[in-house]
Amino acid sequence: MCRIYGSFNAGTSDQELRTVAALLRHGGPDAQTFTGKDDWALGNNRLSIMDPEGGEQPYRLGAVTVVFNGELYNHRELAARLEARGHRIPDNCDGSVLPALYVEYGERFAEQLDGMYSVAVMDLREEPKLVIATDESGMKPLYYAWDEADGRFRFASEIPALLGFADVTAEEDEYGLDAYLVSKTPFGDRTMFRGIQVLPPAATAVVGRRGGLSITTRPLGHTTAGPDTARSLAQAGEELRELLAKEVSRLLIADAPVAAITSGGLDSSLVTALAARATDRLHTFNIAYTGNWPSDERAFAAEVAGRAGTVHHQVEVDPATFPDLLADVVWHLGQPNADPITLSTFSLFRAVRDAGFKVALTGDAADELFGGYARMTHAMAAPGGLGWVQEYLDHLSAVPRALRERLYTDEYAGAVRAHGPALPAGLTETLEGGRGSRMRRICAIEQQYRLPSYHLRRVDHLSMASSVEARLPFCQPKVVRFATTLTDEQKINSTGVKRALYAAAGGLVPDSVLNRPKQPFTLPITAMLTPGQALWDVARDALSESALRADGRIRPEVVTGLFDEQATRPSDGASLAIWALMSHQMWRTQFFGAAASRAGFLQGAR
């Protein structure tokens, strides 16, 4: 696991590279190296997980140079295949196979990889070109700035580091606020910055002096798989359990201590149970909050850990410390994310690292794959026609459409209408008229858009902020493909959600977990964002009338109404809207300064 960065056709100085490396040091504290010539550079900050004595980056083979972030779980099979073809693999580090793999397969090398990764290859054998590839689920994001006019390309694993390049400037996308409130973070390849984009999952980007930048998406095997209607729910559960057991076992292989995150819900509990069967003395971690708060899951997590026989760590965070954590969370994310769980995620992975662990298995992504969200249940129960689509999209949002229409100033609302939809082209069209059943269309857009943008980037950035590698069994390609072979009924019906996953967990996970009502793993923000709590004053300061009027896009009187509602009749809707707006304003202040005003937006909108 590492952090990577680089440039092509850009004349990057060593001082710039040192600056970018310093901004990524938290994600790769074990070694920092870079290489390059006048017109290209590749850099790497290493978090040593596999073969700490080997695996020195950049990797080289003749005129091919590679830097790599992630883990390759099939590197031993790849090494054996490449050695049979005459290549010498210098050590047992997973990334050491990459130069030879690229020499053998060229731009299609990523089709051979099983893991989570972003890989950058500088190929100087003929006309120089930079080739970059990302994994199928988008677990290891890569951000880039491309200047089409002069052909300069720069990239980095995190946005703040990308801004460390001298010619990459922080300019706000004035329409990003709308995209953020519509989907809790921008979907697709866009970010909250003008001129900065993110590579989509399963992407291969090629940059050359003649051809410029081209990005293609590799075909995914699971996109053509159909449901297996002959298989019973019990059979599906048994197959899924066997598959997950194999994948969890593979993800436990490391030359560094491995732990598991145990929230007390189904997904992480199943991963914990399978991991405990596959290794001795597994350590598990759960987070809870000082005081008496709703939705406390520590008792369920402790029961799961006791049943599995793990060494359990109960992390407890005082909500009074949250205001001090906010600045760090906003910085590491690089752009606002409207889920309050960011504070908990950051705190939890910091505790994992403080306890001496570099790797942690999590249960993330099961809901998107197997049908675990209440919004899916509501959509499936809705009558025929397309009326369900807007309700579903409102469930995806930080602020539903009706409230956005009241929040925006007339000027901003008009500019947003003229600019066009905030959601990526194809998302709404897939929901309304895509191929397959309603459930399959929902899962398709959840996996393609929401999972990488909103979920996986959050997990990646906030785990690596503490130098911890998060491994996600549910994002393994075989598990993703298996999920598409389930029928709609094996995911959701009138009796429950994630039915195949519950079938897989029977006998492994305590009945108390299997039979409890589903609840999201998140911060109890409705209770914590009330007068007298630490976050309340932070929110009031961030969303002051003067700050909102300076910005020019949000009506201060509507925000005042949200605070009044939350003070007298606390609700999830009001609290999440306040949290989302507060997070956005704190992000603007951190990246553009306290003097960030409406001037830039107004000039761009006219």
Side-chain angles (χ1 to χ4, degrees):
M1 180 66 71
C2 306
R3 281 318 201 213
I4 63 174
Y5 55 94
S7 64
F8 181 78
N9 200 34
T12 307
S13 69
D14 285 359
Q15 183 56 46
E16 283 182 78
L17 296 173
R18 291 189 186 97
T19 298
V20 176
L23 289 166
L24 290 170
R25 187 179 178 87
H26 52 270
D30 297 331
Q32 295 81 41
T33 54
F34 60 81
T35 189
K37 300 294 184 182
D38 292 339
D39 57 353
W40 67 270
L42 293 178
N44 162 264
N45 285 14
R46 186 182 185 194
L47 177 64
S48 302
I49 301 296
M50 302 299 296
D51 192 6
E53 302 303 318
E56 182 178 350
Q57 295 196 44
Y59 309 114
R60 294 181 176 86
L61 181 59
V64 172
T65 304
V66 181
V67 290
F68 159 61
N69 170 30
E71 293 292 343
L72 304 179
Y73 305 121
N74 66 335
H75 69 280
R76 291 173 179 169
E77 300 96 306
L78 291 174
R81 187 196 311 170
L82 292 166
E83 287 172 344
R85 296 187 182 188
H87 293 280
R88 177 183 172 275
I89 307 302
D91 53 49
N92 294 319
C93 187
D94 54 335
S96 296
V97 302
L98 288 167
L101 192 72
Y102 177 82
V103 168
E104 285 291 325
Y105 294 96
E107 295 173 11
R108 300 185 63 178
F109 77 99
E111 296 175 14
Q112 311 300 316
L113 301 178
D114 177 2
M116 55 179 180
Y117 56 84
S118 54
V119 182
V121 181
M122 191 66 227
D123 184 354
L124 300 175
R125 292 176 298 176
E126 297 176 0
E127 181 72 20
K129 64 180 177 181
L130 175 67
V131 180
I132 298 177
T134 55
D135 66 70
E136 292 185 6
S137 291
M139 289 177 277
K140 291 291 138 187
L142 204 65
Y143 302 90
Y144 68 92
W146 162 244
D147 190 328
E148 187 174 6
D150 60 18
R152 290 182 296 181
F153 184 89
R154 297 176 179 84
F155 69 91
S157 296
E158 298 176 12
I159 288 176
L162 184 58
L163 294 171
F165 287 105
D167 292 333
V168 180
T169 57
E171 296 182 24
E172 183 181 2
D173 177 354
E174 53 268 27
Y175 302 101
L177 171 61
D178 181 52
Y180 165 63
L181 296 181
V182 165
S183 50
K184 297 184 181 178
T185 200
F187 282 178
D189 63 355
R190 73 183 294 183
T191 72
M192 299 288 286
F193 295 84
R194 281 190 289 183
I196 295 178
Q197 294 173 279
V198 60
L199 283 175
T204 298
V206 180
V207 192
R209 293 196 184 96
R210 294 179 183 174
L213 170 65
S214 64
I215 300 175
T216 58
T217 302
R218 302 187 301 277
L220 303 178
H222 68 264
T223 58
T224 57
D228 184 349
T229 57
R231 183 177 52 195
S232 69
L233 178 62
Q235 290 171 326
E238 184 177 349
E239 290 179 29
L240 179 56
R241 181 195 300 206
E242 293 176 0
L243 175 58
L244 281 170
K246 291 177 182 177
E247 296 302 320
V248 166
S249 295
R250 296 173 75 209
L251 269 60
L252 287 168
I253 298 173
D255 296 320
V258 181
I261 303 299
T262 307
S263 71
L266 170 68
D267 312 332
S268 65
S269 297
L270 179 54
V271 169
T272 296
L274 294 171
R277 285 189 165 194
T279 189
D280 294 329
R281 200 171 169 77
L282 178 71
H283 287 247
T284 51
F285 288 79
N286 172 264
I287 191 165
Y289 314 104
T290 303
N292 184 22
W293 300 101
S295 305
D296 190 312
E297 296 185 288
R298 74 180 80 196
F300 295 105
E303 187 174 0
V304 169
R307 170 82 170 263
T310 72
V311 179
H312 192 53
H313 303 253
Q314 182 60 63
V315 180
E316 188 172 278
V317 180
D318 187 345
T321 66
F322 284 161
D324 295 331
L325 295 179
L326 275 168
D328 284 341
V329 169
V330 169
W331 174 260
H332 284 292
L333 287 173
Q335 53 186 350
N337 182 300
D339 194 338
I341 197 61
T342 51
L343 289 174
S344 309
T345 303
F346 179 80
S347 301
L348 181 58
F349 281 114
R350 186 171 61 180
V352 169
R353 182 57 194 243
D354 288 346
F357 293 88
K358 281 187 170 184
V359 181
L361 271 61
T362 82
D364 293 291
D367 287 319
E368 287 83 357
L369 293 173
F370 296 98
Y373 290 116
R375 61 178 173 270
M376 296 177 173
T377 303
H378 293 319
M380 293 299 291
L386 297 178
W388 65 275
V389 173
Q390 184 55 53
E391 181 181 0
Y392 174 78
L393 293 176
D394 276 345
H395 282 300
L396 287 183
S397 70
V399 176
R401 184 172 64 177
L403 179 53
R404 293 197 303 273
E405 291 174 350
R406 292 195 293 116
L407 269 175
Y408 295 166
T409 61
D410 291 342
E411 200 165 28
Y412 188 56
V416 165
R417 285 193 297 271
H419 184 259
L423 293 171
L427 187 152
T428 303
E429 289 82 354
T430 296
L431 288 175
E432 292 179 343
R435 298 175 59 184
S437 68
R438 186 182 295 184
M439 186 70 207
R440 290 181 73 80
R441 301 199 304 272
I442 288 171
C443 286
I445 69 102
E446 292 265 357
Q447 292 171 45
Q448 182 178 355
Y449 297 108
R450 185 182 183 276
L451 179 61
S453 301
Y454 173 67
H455 200 137
L456 298 183
R457 289 177 206 160
R458 180 179 76 234
V459 172
D460 173 73
H461 293 344
L462 297 183
S463 60
M464 291 296 280
S466 294
S467 307
V468 174
E469 173 181 292
R471 293 185 177 181
L472 296 80
F474 288 109
C475 283
Q476 283 297 99
K478 290 181 180 178
V479 178
V480 175
R481 293 185 184 110
F482 180 86
T484 63
T485 69
L486 296 172
T487 66
D488 293 352
E489 283 277 316
Q490 290 168 348
K491 292 183 177 180
I492 289 178
N493 71 2
S494 59
T495 66
V497 299
K498 290 187 291 193
R499 299 180 70 229
L501 200 60
Y502 274 95
L508 285 176
V509 173
D511 289 343
S512 60
V513 172
L514 294 176
N515 297 329
R516 62 179 290 214
K518 175 179 168 54
Q519 66 182 55
F521 173 53
T522 191
L523 198 73
I525 191 64
T526 301
M528 290 185 173
L529 193 55
T530 52
Q533 299 300 326
L535 288 176
W536 181 260
D537 292 336
V538 175
R540 293 304 301 253
D541 289 344
L543 298 175
S544 68
E545 181 177 350
S546 60
L548 294 176
R549 292 200 184 282
D551 180 88
R553 291 173 288 185
I554 299 294
R555 296 180 184 274
E557 65 273 17
V558 178
V559 175
T560 298
L562 288 172
F563 277 110
D564 291 343
E565 176 184 342
Q566 182 63 12
T568 57
R569 303 180 308 279
S571 69
D572 292 346
S575 63
L576 181 57
I578 292 170
W579 171 271
L581 292 168
M582 174 191 72
S583 298
H584 180 265
Q585 192 63 26
M586 294 185 71
W587 166 79
R588 291 189 77 237
T589 300
Q590 188 161 124
F591 282 91
F592 306 105
S597 72
R598 68 192 305 217
F601 162 68
L602 293 177
Q603 291 171 4
R606 286 172 178 157

